[in-house]
Amino acid sequence: MLDLLVKNANLPDGRANMSIAVRDGKIVEVAAGLEAPARERLDAQGLLLSPPLVDAHFHMDATLSYGLPRVNQSGTLLEGIALWGELKPLLTQQAIVARAMTYCDWAVAKGLLAIRSHVDVCDPRLLAVEALLEVKRRVAPYLDLQLVAFPQDGVLRAAGALENLRRALDLGVDVVGGIPHFERTNEQGAASVKLLCELAAQRGLRVDMHCDESDDPLSRHVETLAFETQRLGLQGRVTGSHLTSMHSMDNYYVSKLLPLLAQAELHVVANPLINITLQGRHDSYPKRRGMTRVPELLSAGVNVAFGHDCVMDPWYALGSADMLEVAHMGLHVAQMTSQAAMRQCFDAVTVNAAKVMGLAGYGLEPGCHADFVLLQARDPVEAIRLRATRLKVFRRGKLLSEAPAATSQLRLPGRPGQTSMMLL
Ligand code: FE2
């Protein structure tokens, strides 16, 4: 006897009318026209069943703090960092936990069931670290929260930051972070990359650095990140987040850089909503877009995910935990408008992001966790186009969230009767 049998589902890889059999929280079979006794049945009616959305880059310690203690006037990354510095002394553990728990509720409702969040470790009280470790424990039954020890003010630039970062890892933070372009000099930035990769290798941890988040074409710490990854045997375990300077780099240099990143099996996370708003602020016209070279990275064989980065915080006033909105923006900024490229944008907020996090048991195959989302769309392109309603969200075969299908009742002059309309 199965626990759940989903019938007539379209899958993101193009398989249509598939059945998915679930027992004990796992997918046991995926096949067309499968029939078996089951305690629960769900007819997907030809709609898209996707593995959960995944956000590979977020800041949960800052989320939902917009306006505290004031808003970012210039809209720049640097004012955002300064504003976060003003907010830090006012933070309480209770408030961080409450805001993060609210955000995780939003996430579940949007089918977002795995998040990698950076957490600032520069405050010697480690208030945010302890708060997010508590949130991680609380949400564990329904959401995978992975934490990155992020030295926001620079691991070498800020007094005590390295010691605080080590303490955060001792407390159970999962991944080693960094911010080489914010160190005082290029040499210090490179030294920070070397130091932090060595620390990760010693502890058997993954690395995810904010790297070259600037419009400076000569910000090239990603080169050092790839080098250290290979030197220390960390291939496949290191992520370069942002890499916005690649947008402005010399094309010849990029032609040398791309194969180096692929050889190091570096993962890349672009954050389209944030990159398009924070970068290019010093430009007049033409204004650069500031997002890294996503299609070129993908063509070189690099795994690229899109992250949300910020929702209602010192850097960004908007957002709603909707990774389809992130994919939608990424698609536009990178001009990824072919059918194949639009599907790649869907992968960037699902399977590619799961690879960044190293999630085990992710996917719609036998043996994977029975975690999936039924969307009010027939395929990934339609899901992005409509930022489709998440009709049902399952984790380990159990329903976590459901929403009614989006419909409008039209009452149009000259058109008698009421028309019920769905944008499908
Ligand atoms: Fe970030």
Side-chain angles (χ1 to χ4, degrees):
M1 175 72 94
L2 297 172
D3 295 324
L4 172 66
L5 180 63
V6 183
K7 301 276 293 177
N8 303 316
N10 286 355
L11 306 188
D13 62 10
R15 284 178 287 172
N17 285 310
M18 299 301 285
S19 302
I20 293 178
V22 173
R23 193 185 297 123
D24 298 330
K26 298 245 171 170
I27 296 173
V28 291
E29 203 174 346
V30 181
L34 190 67
E35 203 36 78
R39 276 184 203 92
E40 245 183 286
R41 303 172 75 86
L42 171 65
D43 184 355
Q45 299 180 314
L47 295 178
L48 178 66
L49 192 81
S50 168
L53 294 149
V54 178
D55 184 357
H57 188 113
F58 195 60
H59 293 263
M60 206 175 278
D61 48 358
T63 197
L64 306 190
S65 68
Y66 182 71
L68 297 175
R70 61 182 179 84
V71 299
N72 185 333
Q73 293 297 334
S74 65
T76 59
L77 172 68
L78 293 180
E79 187 177 342
I81 294 174
L83 183 47
W84 174 238
E86 290 171 38
L87 175 57
K88 269 197 265 189
L90 311 175
L91 290 171
T92 67
Q93 197 169 324
Q94 206 180 9
I96 298 171
V97 170
R99 290 196 283 258
M101 290 300 293
T102 299
Y103 186 79
C104 289
D105 289 352
W106 293 9
V108 170
K110 295 286 187 189
L112 169 55
L113 299 187
I115 301 174
R116 175 182 275 184
S117 174
H118 295 253
V119 51
D120 188 357
V121 296
C122 285
D123 178 349
R125 298 171 300 167
L126 294 185
L127 203 73
V129 170
E130 284 179 2
L132 289 195
L133 283 167
E134 171 62 19
V135 171
K136 181 180 169 164
R137 276 188 290 275
R138 287 197 206 174
V139 302
Y142 53 88
L143 188 147
D144 293 310
L145 177 58
Q146 195 177 73
L147 299 177
V148 184
F150 175 45
Q152 171 76 76
D153 302 327
V155 72
L156 297 176
R157 182 170 170 173
L162 179 58
E163 189 46 37
N164 294 335
L165 188 144
R166 284 208 177 96
R167 284 168 54 216
L169 297 176
D170 291 342
L171 287 171
V173 170
D174 310 277
V175 178
V176 177
I179 186 164
H181 57 277
F182 197 70
E183 303 290 353
R184 284 196 186 88
T185 63
N186 270 331
E187 288 71 21
Q188 289 272 290
S192 78
V193 171
K194 182 167 184 283
L195 169 83
L196 291 164
C197 286
E198 284 172 355
L199 183 62
Q202 283 159 17
R203 293 187 176 228
L205 298 176
R206 288 174 178 261
V207 175
D208 188 339
M209 290 197 195
H210 284 66
C211 194
D212 304 324
E213 188 182 2
S214 93
D215 295 314
D216 174 6
L218 296 178
S219 185
R220 295 178 172 186
H221 295 297
V222 67
E223 180 186 80
T224 308
L225 187 62
F227 178 80
E228 292 299 327
T229 299
Q230 280 187 298
R231 184 178 72 85
L232 296 163
L234 291 170
Q235 289 93 335
R237 299 173 61 77
V238 176
T239 299
S241 278
H242 291 293
L243 308 189
T244 53
S245 73
M246 278 184 74
H247 188 95
S248 301
M249 279 175 186
D250 171 72
N251 289 328
Y252 180 79
Y253 174 70
V254 173
S255 75
K256 178 195 166 200
L257 180 63
L258 287 171
L260 294 179
L261 305 190
Q263 272 170 24
E265 295 169 48
L266 205 78
H267 303 278
V268 170
V269 181
N271 297 293
L273 291 163
I274 305 311
N275 301 152
I276 196 74
T277 46
L278 291 185
Q279 302 304 313
R281 287 278 177 164
H282 298 277
D283 293 353
S284 57
Y285 285 94
K287 286 181 196 283
R288 286 168 286 180
R289 295 167 192 217
M291 192 168 80
T292 195
R293 304 189 187 201
V294 175
E296 292 79 8
L297 283 159
L298 287 167
S299 296
V302 176
N303 181 50
V304 182
F306 289 147
H308 208 316
D309 201 4
C310 302
V311 170
M312 299 177 75
D313 69 9
W315 296 272
Y316 189 58
L318 305 174
S320 61
D322 186 350
M323 294 308 293
L324 292 175
E325 185 184 339
V326 173
H328 189 266
M329 178 59 79
L331 183 159
H332 284 78
V333 176
Q335 299 182 329
M336 292 173 69
T337 51
S338 72
Q339 282 288 321
M342 290 193 284
R343 284 173 183 268
Q344 286 181 315
C345 291
F346 189 83
D347 290 346
V349 292
T350 51
V351 284
N352 296 6
K355 278 186 208 149
V356 169
M357 289 183 68
L359 291 179
Y362 179 90
L364 296 181
E365 300 300 336
C368 291
H369 293 305
D371 301 350
F372 35 73
V373 184
L374 182 66
L375 291 141
Q376 191 187 349
R378 288 164 296 208
D379 60 55
V381 174
E382 201 165 63
I384 293 174
R385 178 172 70 82
L386 299 171
R387 272 77 80 216
T389 300
R390 283 63 159 178
L391 297 169
K392 290 183 190 292
V393 180
F394 288 90
R395 163 116 164 163
R396 310 298 193 252
K398 300 263 183 333
L399 187 65
L400 289 183
S401 171
E402 56 187 331
T407 58
S408 294
Q409 304 297 325
L410 302 183
R411 296 171 176 79
L412 303 176
R415 301 255 304 265
Q418 186 179 308
T419 312
S420 177
M421 189 204 60
M422 228 180 240
L423 280 173
L424 279 184

